[in-house]
Amino acid sequence: MNKVIILNKRPHGTPTLGDFKITSEEIPTAKDGQILLKTTYVSVDPYLRGRMNDSESYFPPFELNKPIQSGAIAEVEESKHADFKKGDFVTGSLDWKEYQTSDGKGLHKIISSDAKLSSYLGVLGMTGLTAYLGLTKIGLPKEGETIVVSGAGGAVGTVVGQIGKLLGCKVVGITGSDEKAALLKSTFQFDHAINYKTTKNLKEAVKSACPEGVDIYFDNVGGEISDAVLANINKYARLPVCGAISLYNETEVPTGPRLQPIILTKSATMKGFIISDLSEHFPSATKQLTAWLNENKITFSETIVEGFDNIPQAFLDLFTGKNQGKMIVKM
Ligand code: NDP
């Protein structure tokens, strides 16, 4: 039988395992023009939380009692499609199913390379592109500037920091454990790292790590962490708003400091972006990220969880920071 994970209930606040259900169905067979795919790796991502709500966003909501989808890598088990052969690996948005058929639309073949297969869900996939394009196209870094990155120990954050260093900037990361803070400095070349869970006065900690002020704030988390960074921005600062994970499980609209006076008096630019808005740049960005990886100028880390049944738990663990680097489930 073929295991499938469906949305059982819409989460209220922080999601729980009961919001998901593992069901089973017959393993499908490929018809003419189709391929049968066997899932190899599944990416769990914070944005999936938004799709579990019954509200329109940049992606339609998941339907109740239907499979959840996310970025995944799968192996072609059987092909009745001219463009694919058995043994090919593909990446794309797939259902949380062990096996599924596809007409190939929206799938990209992974051309065999030296890169680790799972890296196509991270540094060479959506999160790497988000880091590179969010920083370069919206953050507009200039040599010598100071970048602060929140969510720094995760898939996007670790890559943002390294690119910032490659471009000649000073980089400060904010993360949720001493272990991650140490890794940011030892493995990912950050100049400073702040543990937001143990720092009493985050605003002062950012000020002391950035005596020349903050020129770019790459925001992955929103909320109080961002309030503390915004209090330290320089004139003409750029603030790419990439994510707001600290707010995804809120059931009431939270209030905080009003940002307009800061943005106004600092002539700052705060700009949200969804990575698909920047798709025209994907080929050149992938080429650059691949080159940096091959030249060992950047590195990446992954937290690999084993087993199809553990996909929901791996997703939940994003909200408690159990991952270091990209969270991926291996079948
Ligand atoms: P991560 O790998 O960074 O995983 C999520 C991390 O968020 C956790 O490890 C945890 O680390 C941190 N976190 C969880 N809860 C909180 C909280 N309440 N306050 C502060 N930090 C928290 O995920 P990604 O790199 O995939 O994504 C990072 C952000 O970027 C997310 O907000 C995501 O939605 C967004 N994103 C946006 C895209 C776009 O197109 N705009 C595309 C991809 C991602 P810690 O130990 O530090 O708490």
Side-chain angles (χ1 to χ4, degrees), residues 43-48 58 126-127 130-131 150-158 174-177 180 196-197 218-222 225 241-249 272-277 317-327:
S43 171
V44 287
D45 299 274
Y47 80 92
L48 299 172
Y58 59 95
M126 193 264 286
T127 55
T130 302
S150 56
V156 175
T158 48
I174 303 179
T175 188
S177 75
K180 289 188 197 180
Y196 72 89
K197 288 189 180 160
F218 194 103
D219 190 1
N220 279 315
V221 306
I225 293 173
V241 179
C242 174
I245 190 167
S246 76
L247 307 174
Y248 292 169
N249 295 325
F273 71 99
I274 301 299
I275 191 56
S276 50
D277 301 343
D317 287 346
L318 291 170
F319 296 93
T320 52
K322 292 233 169 68
N323 61 308
Q324 204 281 312
K326 181 76 194 91
M327 183 73 113

Side-chain angles (χ1 to χ4, degrees), residues 34-50:
Q34 286 189 329
I35 45 181
L36 174 66
L37 294 172
K38 183 180 182 200
T39 307
T40 312
Y41 291 103
V42 169
S43 171
V44 287
D45 299 274
Y47 80 92
L48 299 172
R49 175 64 186 87

Side-chain angles (χ1 to χ4, degrees), residues 306-318:
E306 302 253 346
F308 181 84
D309 295 7
N310 292 321
I311 299 173
Q313 186 62 53
F315 168 70
L316 301 183
D317 287 346
L318 291 170

Side-chain angles (χ1 to χ4, degrees), residues 24 32 37 87 112 134 144 150-151 157 163 187-188 194 199 226 231 234 242 246 268 286 317:
S24 62
D32 282 345
L37 294 172
S112 101
S150 56
I163 297 173
T187 307
F188 298 106
I194 299 169
T199 300
S226 301
N234 285 335
C242 174
S246 76
T286 304
D317 287 346

Side-chain angles (χ1 to χ4, degrees), residues 205-281:
V206 173
K207 189 174 176 187
S208 114
C210 309
E212 290 168 349
V214 178
D215 299 299
I216 298 171
Y217 173 43
F218 194 103
D219 190 1
N220 279 315
V221 306
E224 289 176 8
I225 293 173
S226 301
D227 297 340
V229 182
L230 259 85
N232 288 289
I233 59 172
N234 285 335
K235 188 146 195 202
Y236 305 123
R238 285 84 65 204
L239 297 93
V241 179
C242 174
I245 190 167
S246 76
L247 307 174
Y248 292 169
N249 295 325
E250 294 286 344
T251 50
E252 312 259 318
V253 179
T255 51
R258 305 293 177 196
L259 299 181
Q260 290 87 344
I262 303 178
I263 302 294
L264 170 70
T265 57
K266 297 293 182 183
S267 304
T269 306
M270 190 171 192
K271 184 170 171 17
F273 71 99
I274 301 299
I275 191 56
S276 50
D277 301 343
L278 300 169
S279 58
E280 67 188 285
H281 303 292

